[in-house]
């Protein structure tokens, strides 16, 4: 029996709470069609929402890298990144439909910005704009590309300014900076209702939106008619509670892109009750958008958005059963990845982590570059004691958002639970009495004893002293690597291997170790170069590592 929901019932759900919650089941048939029902199909057990695998194939990690981070991304930008380890580190298998995150467009674009490769950055965004003109369905890729510039840290502003200074006629540069400034405006405002928001927040918000508007005007002067620019203007109108300005921006977007979904979605958000709209207005607008659904299937997700919004309000009110019920209907009506993400959070609150995992897998498959989504899946995996997978996700989340306290906290917890692969080095003799500060062996033994007692700062001090005494001793650097790994200081590991290689430039083991470190920093070009050098020096395992890092490039 297929679950069908009438518009009248949907509207009632938005206005009044419901009491009874029926179990819903979802599955995908052999033709790839998704089905929903209040009874499980014959091939499923009676458990609701059987898990399904996220699309895509997981690539094999390099020989010198642990399975916990086979992430297929371009280099990331974070100062700290872990782990640097080998595949024998962990024993659990990936399960529950989990697939490691695939290549990240957001991280690739940010790396180009950080490296000052503005010509390539502009070309990449221009190709995305051009693709949209050929196929409106490419609007989601356009949206994801510009959302890469929704950045928290102030340091990014300087890079965007330099891009425009060097390429003053690059319209996409202004649009990228307008995205950054719009995000900063929302951050300045905060998420509270208007009567709960300090006036100072509004002043800062207005300043940011004005600067963003200047960039949008300049991009238009340079001839860029971008659908994303319309989304940013609607966003600014929403923040100011001006539905008339939002409607004007939408009309201009529809003039140039009649079948677009993302500007309509932005306008639908502005119609939410919080911003002066209403649930009936949202439903009516979402219904009208379906006139173009045959031209753009992305529009089919909009009718579920109004119901998703109602589910979100129930979640905020801690009414998780009601939130789940509304989200079930939203998803049945075609809601997008946000509904799957929120239902995953709801199911986790309802102590249903396996069902939550199926939903968050779907959300990430549709929208792979969201740090919150990855953080949520990391929490669910930790709940299921799947620490390999949890760490893999939290590393990607940390790369995308290194400022989030929630991400940082979970990341620290996971590293406290997991072991470094160099544990074979850790045999030591119990320390009694004073340690001879002129004896590298005694200092080395003391450092390993301190590591066993989790006194990492003391261990590192002892290792630094031992390295001063025997600066060309490879094992001292390997154990220092271990300490820094446990502390989450991967960038510093690079400095130690660089110091060692200045003294022993032909030690392939060090190149292979550093290759692994670069791998987990997502700096695949440098990882491959070090693996190649280790291979040339005859280091065991280096050839396989080189082949696999090349595959990632």
């Amino acid at each position: 029996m297929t679950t069908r929901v009438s518009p009248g019932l949907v509207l009632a759900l938005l206005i009044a709470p419901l009491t009874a919650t029926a179990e819903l089941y979802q599955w995908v048939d052999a033709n790839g069609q998704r089905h929903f029902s209040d009874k499980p199909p014959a091939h499923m057990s009676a458990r609701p929402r059987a898990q399904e695998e996220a699309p895509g194939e997981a690539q094999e990690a390099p020989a010198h890298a642990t399975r916990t981070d086979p992430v297929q991304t371009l280099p990331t930008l974070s100062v700290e990144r872990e782990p640097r380890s080998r595949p024998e580190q962990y024993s659990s298998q990936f399960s529950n439909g989990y697939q490691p995150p695939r290549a990240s467009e957001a991280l690739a674009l940010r790396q180009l910005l950080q490296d000052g490769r503005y010509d390539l950055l502009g070309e990449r965004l221009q190709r995305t704009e051009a693709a949209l003109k050929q196929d409106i369905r490419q609007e989601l890729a356009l949206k994801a590309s510009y959302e890469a510039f929704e950045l928290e840290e102030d340091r990014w502003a300087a890079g965007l300014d330099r891009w425009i200074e060097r390429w003053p006629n690059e319209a996409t540069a202004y649009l990228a900076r307008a995205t950054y400034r719009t995000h900063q405006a929302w951050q300045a405002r905060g998420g509270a209702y208007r009567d709960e928001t300090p006036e100072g927040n509004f002043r800062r918000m207005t300043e940011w939106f004005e600067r963003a508007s200047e960039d949008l005007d300049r991009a238009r002067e340079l001839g860029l008619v971008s659908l994303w620019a319309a989304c940013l203007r609607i966003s600014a109108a929403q923040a100011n509670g001006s539905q008339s300005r939002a409607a004007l921006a939408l009309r201009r977007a529809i003039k140039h892109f009649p079948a677009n979904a993302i500007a309509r979605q932005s306008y639908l958000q502005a119609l939410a009750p919080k911003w002066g709209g209403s649930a009936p207005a949202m439903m009516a607008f979402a219904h009208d958008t379906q006139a173009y659904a045959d031209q753009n299937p992305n529009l089919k997700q909009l009718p579920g958005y109004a119901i998703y919004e109602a589910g979100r309000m129930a979640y905020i009110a801690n009414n998780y059963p009601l939130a789940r019920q509304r989200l079930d209907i939203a998803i049945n009506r075609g809601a997008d990845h946000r509904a799957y993400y929120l239902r995953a959070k709801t199911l986790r609150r309802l102590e249903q982590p396996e069902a939550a995992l199926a939903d968050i897998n779907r959300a990430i498959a549709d929208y792979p570059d969201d740090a919150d989504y990855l953080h949520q899946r990391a929490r669910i995996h930790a709940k299921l004691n799947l620490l390999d997978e949890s760490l893999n996700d939290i590393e990607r989340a940390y790369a995308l958002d290194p400022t989030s306290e929630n991400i940082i906290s979970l990341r620290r917890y996971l590293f406290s639970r997991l072991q470094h692969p160099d544990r074979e080095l850790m045999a030591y003799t119990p320390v009694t009495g004073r340690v001879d500060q002129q004896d590298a062996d005694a200092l080395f033994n003391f450092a390993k004893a301190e590591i066993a007692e989790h006194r990492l700062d003391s261990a590192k001090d002892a290792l630094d002293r031992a390295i001063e005494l025997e600066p060309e001793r490879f094992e001292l650097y390997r154990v220092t690597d271990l300490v820094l790994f446990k502390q989450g200081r991967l960038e510093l590991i690079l400095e130690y291997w660089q110091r060692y290689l200045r003294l022993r430039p032909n030690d392939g083991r060090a190149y292979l170790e550093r290759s692994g470190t670069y791998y987990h920093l997502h700096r695949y070009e440098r990882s491959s170069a070090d693996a190649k050098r280790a291979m040339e020096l005859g280091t065991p395992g280096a050839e396989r590592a080189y082949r696999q890092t090349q595959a990632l490039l």
Side-chain angles (χ1 to χ4, degrees):
M1 180 175 69
T2 302
T3 302
R4 298 186 183 278
V5 184
S6 69
L9 175 58
V10 170
L11 189 56
L13 281 170
L14 294 174
I15 297 171
L18 301 179
T19 55
T21 302
E23 296 288 5
L24 293 179
Y25 298 82
Q26 63 176 346
W27 71 96
V28 178
D29 63 23
N31 297 318
Q33 180 66 41
R34 183 179 300 278
H35 298 272
F36 297 84
S37 175
D38 59 359
K39 294 181 180 179
H43 69 278
M44 285 174 58
S45 68
R47 185 173 61 190
R49 276 180 302 283
Q51 297 158 7
E52 58 188 49
E53 291 191 355
E57 297 274 343
Q59 294 186 13
E60 185 180 8
H64 57 292
T66 175
R67 282 187 299 104
T68 60
D69 193 14
V71 181
Q72 304 156 32
T73 68
L74 291 174
T76 61
L77 309 174
S78 174
V79 174
E80 300 177 358
R81 200 71 78 249
E82 297 97 1
R84 198 271 330 133
S85 51
R86 290 179 290 279
E88 68 272 17
Q89 181 176 356
Y90 308 115
S91 59
S92 70
Q93 297 295 316
F94 292 131
S95 57
N96 296 295
Y98 174 78
Q99 294 287 351
R102 57 183 182 263
S104 169
E105 178 70 4
L107 294 177
L109 291 169
R110 292 176 192 177
Q111 190 66 50
L112 291 174
L113 178 60
Q114 176 172 283
D115 293 345
R117 300 170 73 176
Y118 304 127
D119 52 343
L120 297 179
L121 186 54
E123 289 173 8
R124 200 157 181 156
L125 292 174
Q126 289 168 18
R127 286 197 301 269
T128 306
E129 293 278 1
L132 176 64
K133 290 181 172 62
Q134 299 298 318
D135 182 359
I136 190 60
R137 293 172 297 178
Q138 297 302 313
E139 62 182 348
L140 299 182
L142 178 82
K143 181 175 185 284
S145 292
Y146 283 107
E147 283 180 341
F149 303 100
E150 292 181 346
L151 298 158
E152 301 289 339
E153 299 165 281
D154 294 341
R155 65 188 178 91
W156 292 102
L160 290 163
D161 291 344
R162 283 194 297 271
W163 183 11
I164 288 172
E165 288 170 5
R166 297 183 188 179
W167 294 79
N169 296 319
E170 176 54 69
T172 60
Y174 291 95
L175 192 48
R177 190 168 68 176
T179 305
Y180 170 81
R181 289 174 167 178
T182 297
H183 181 69
Q184 291 295 322
W186 279 104
Q187 293 299 109
R189 184 199 186 283
Y193 285 92
R194 184 175 186 88
D195 58 358
E196 299 171 355
T197 302
E199 285 302 317
N201 289 26
F202 286 113
R203 286 195 298 272
R204 290 190 295 274
M205 177 195 77
T206 300
E207 291 171 0
W208 279 111
F209 274 131
E210 288 175 350
R211 296 168 70 188
S213 181
E214 292 171 0
D215 281 340
L216 293 173
D217 291 343
R218 180 57 180 153
R220 186 170 55 192
E221 290 170 1
L222 291 168
L224 179 62
V225 178
S226 176
L227 180 57
W228 181 245
C231 294
L232 294 181
R233 291 190 187 278
I234 293 171
S235 178
Q238 173 188 334
N240 287 287
S242 176
Q243 291 188 1
S244 61
R245 288 171 54 194
L248 176 61
L250 176 63
R251 287 196 297 272
R252 289 174 175 171
I254 290 174
K255 176 182 177 181
H256 295 286
F257 306 94
N260 86 81
I262 62 172
R264 286 182 169 95
Q265 182 185 69
S266 296
Y267 183 72
L268 188 57
Q269 293 173 202
L271 290 177
K274 178 177 179 179
W275 305 107
S278 67
M282 295 177 73
M283 290 297 299
F285 177 78
H287 178 269
D288 291 343
T289 65
Q290 299 310 289
Y292 290 91
D294 289 341
Q295 299 178 43
N296 184 2
N298 295 332
L299 285 163
K300 295 178 181 179
Q301 297 177 336
L302 297 189
Y305 180 80
I307 314 166
Y308 155 80
E309 183 67 21
R312 190 176 70 86
M313 297 309 294
Y315 182 89
I316 291 171
N318 300 323
N319 190 340
Y320 304 123
L322 179 59
R324 178 189 173 178
Q325 188 176 44
R326 290 175 171 176
L327 291 167
D328 285 346
I329 296 173
I331 288 170
N332 198 17
R333 297 275 289 180
D336 63 9
H337 52 85
R338 289 172 295 186
Y340 284 97
Y341 163 68
L342 187 56
R343 192 169 71 175
K345 291 179 67 176
T346 302
L347 290 166
R348 183 176 62 81
R349 295 282 190 177
L350 293 171
E351 298 296 330
Q352 298 181 46
E354 293 184 354
L357 184 56
D359 274 354
I360 198 64
N361 281 343
R362 170 60 188 270
I364 292 172
D366 290 348
Y367 202 71
D369 274 346
D370 191 292
D372 290 335
Y373 290 12
L374 291 157
H375 170 248
Q376 191 62 218
R377 189 165 71 176
R379 292 190 67 173
I380 294 168
H381 277 138
K383 179 76 171 179
L384 293 168
N385 203 34
L386 299 171
L387 300 187
D388 298 27
E389 294 90 328
S390 185
L391 181 60
N392 187 58
D393 282 333
I394 207 65
E395 283 297 273
R396 175 64 164 265
Y398 184 69
L400 289 163
D401 185 4
T403 65
S404 168
E405 289 298 327
N406 290 331
I407 291 172
I408 292 169
S409 177
L410 180 56
R411 187 169 177 262
R412 287 172 178 165
Y413 165 77
L414 289 170
F415 274 92
S416 73
R417 292 281 305 274
L418 296 168
Q419 298 181 11
H420 189 279
D422 286 341
R423 54 189 179 274
E424 72 275 9
L425 292 176
M426 296 313 296
Y428 66 91
T429 302
V431 177
T432 58
R434 292 175 60 89
V435 177
D436 187 348
Q437 296 294 306
Q438 301 302 317
D439 186 336
D441 287 332
L443 289 163
F444 191 25
N445 181 72
F446 173 75
K448 290 187 285 186
E450 292 293 274
I451 293 170
E453 296 297 326
H454 308 290
R455 293 190 284 264
L456 301 181
D457 289 339
S458 174
K460 184 177 177 298
D461 289 343
L463 288 165
D464 285 342
R465 177 58 183 155
I467 288 172
E468 289 179 10
L469 296 170
E470 296 187 17
E472 298 184 23
R473 186 170 171 178
F474 178 76
E475 291 78 9
L476 297 177
Y477 293 85
R478 284 187 67 188
V479 175
T480 301
D481 184 315
L482 183 156
V483 171
L484 296 173
F485 164 85
K486 287 179 174 290
Q487 292 180 324
R489 303 166 69 187
L490 204 61
E491 287 283 354
L492 191 54
I493 293 175
L494 290 176
E495 295 182 17
Y496 274 84
W497 287 120
Q498 181 65 21
R499 183 191 309 180
Y500 177 79
L501 284 167
R502 282 197 293 266
L503 299 170
R504 300 289 299 275
N506 294 317
D507 191 332
R509 298 173 300 172
Y511 285 104
L512 189 58
E513 293 286 340
R514 193 172 68 175
S515 174
T517 305
Y518 277 130
Y519 172 83
H520 288 291
L521 283 163
H522 305 183
R523 300 178 187 171
Y524 294 142
E525 292 183 3
R526 294 181 181 180
S527 177
S528 183
D530 273 356
K532 181 179 181 182
R533 179 58 178 152
M535 181 178 65
E536 293 169 349
L537 292 167
T539 308
E543 182 178 357
R544 179 167 176 259
Y546 175 70
R547 289 199 307 269
Q548 293 172 342
T549 52
Q550 280 291 298
L552 289 173
L553 294 173

